[in-house]
Amino acid sequence: MPAASRFVEALKKSVRARGLTYAELARRLQLSQASVKRMFSRGTFTLARIEEVLAAVDLDLYDVARMARAGAGGTELTHEQEIGLAKDERLLAVFWLVVNGWSFEEILADFAIARTELTIAFARLEKLKLIEWGPQERARLLVPRDFSWRPGGPAKKAYGRRAMREFLEARFDAALEMLRFETREVSAESAATFQRKLERLIAEFNEAAEADSALPASRRTAVALLVACRPWQFSAVSALKRRKTS
């Protein structure tokens, strides 16, 4: 998808993420609803109009451009970056907060970490080329928010099993919790179709997180999504299979 189209799609998602209809956006822009729909469908935005839309949804140009870049596809962290995070779980925790849109001051206010320690953590993240750290403690991510951990890499070796164990300890009966485990026999074609749907679901999850990252931390909650699908049969069933005779 061309960069301009990705930008328009990111802008659309930002509007939807804030619960705004085209009618409400049109009212804020003092335009007709038809004009707003046409603007988004054709991508006919002037720079001035983009600025007006961004103001209406309380975003800046950088936020939407970052979403558009993320829509181009995620990437893995480097081996060196993962080693740095794998060696220090508090550094990993700070990085996770930054990835999810927490500012330096918000982390200080809500978490048990001293300003000196947080300053050192930000400096280390900058040295690892994970963030760019500027005036007024503003950090800019240098990696996509939907990056991937390296398969079998340092981070997964250090935290993978622990994170999965902690995630599955819940009873999954509280608000925002859900766990379903289904097992049926389907064709290879149907299995491939479900795999593509799950991949789209993951993409939508990351897109929503990207759009919401500009909201204040008080309006966000940490949510984990576990998606898995593979050829599998319960061992009790496998035990019933007849052994092949030679």
Side-chain angles (χ1 to χ4, degrees), residues 27-227:
R27 187 189 66 79
R28 296 186 184 187
L29 297 176
Q30 297 183 332
L31 295 172
S32 68
Q33 184 175 343
S35 296
V36 171
K37 285 184 177 179
R38 187 165 53 250
M39 203 163 51
F40 276 95
S41 64
R42 298 178 181 176
T44 53
F45 291 91
T46 63
L47 182 57
R49 187 67 75 194
I50 288 174
E51 290 176 347
E52 291 174 2
V53 174
L54 291 174
V57 297
D58 194 25
L59 280 174
D60 61 35
L61 188 61
Y62 168 72
D63 292 319
V64 181
R66 184 185 61 211
M67 283 183 63
R69 287 197 304 273
T75 187
E76 293 179 355
L77 299 188
T78 68
H79 186 74
E80 291 71 21
Q81 287 170 331
E82 285 206 11
I83 287 177
L85 296 172
K87 287 181 177 178
D88 187 341
E89 68 178 65
R90 284 179 71 83
L91 183 65
L92 174 75
V94 171
F95 177 59
W96 184 90
L97 291 170
V98 174
V99 166
N100 282 278
W102 287 74
S103 69
F104 187 96
E105 295 300 330
E106 284 175 329
I107 296 172
L108 273 184
D110 282 49
F111 293 88
I113 186 169
R115 179 176 291 272
T116 300
E117 183 184 359
L118 188 57
T119 298
I120 293 172
F122 269 55
R124 290 177 62 192
L125 292 176
E126 185 173 45
K127 187 174 181 181
L128 288 169
K129 294 183 172 56
L130 291 168
I131 66 170
E132 184 178 84
W133 192 22
Q136 299 180 331
E137 313 293 8
R138 184 177 175 86
R140 182 171 72 86
L141 270 177
L142 297 179
V143 297
R145 291 181 191 274
D146 61 343
F147 69 86
S148 300
W149 297 111
R150 302 173 72 85
K156 284 194 173 182
K157 287 180 179 178
Y159 307 114
R161 289 189 178 183
R162 171 181 161 189
M164 188 63 67
R165 183 177 66 251
E166 291 177 2
F167 177 79
L168 293 173
E169 279 176 353
R171 295 178 61 182
F172 292 96
D173 56 3
L176 301 182
E177 292 185 350
M178 176 182 176
L179 178 64
R180 291 286 299 274
F181 181 69
E182 305 288 341
T183 174
R184 299 291 299 273
E185 291 189 352
V186 299
S187 67
E189 292 78 11
S190 292
T193 298
F194 285 119
Q195 183 178 12
R196 289 192 295 270
K197 288 182 178 181
L198 292 175
E199 288 169 350
R200 287 199 295 271
L201 175 63
I202 294 169
E204 290 174 9
F205 179 78
N206 284 315
E207 287 165 0
E210 190 70 32
D212 290 347
S213 66
L215 296 174
S218 59
R219 290 187 57 191
R220 303 195 311 267
T221 186
V223 174
L225 175 69
L226 175 65
V227 177

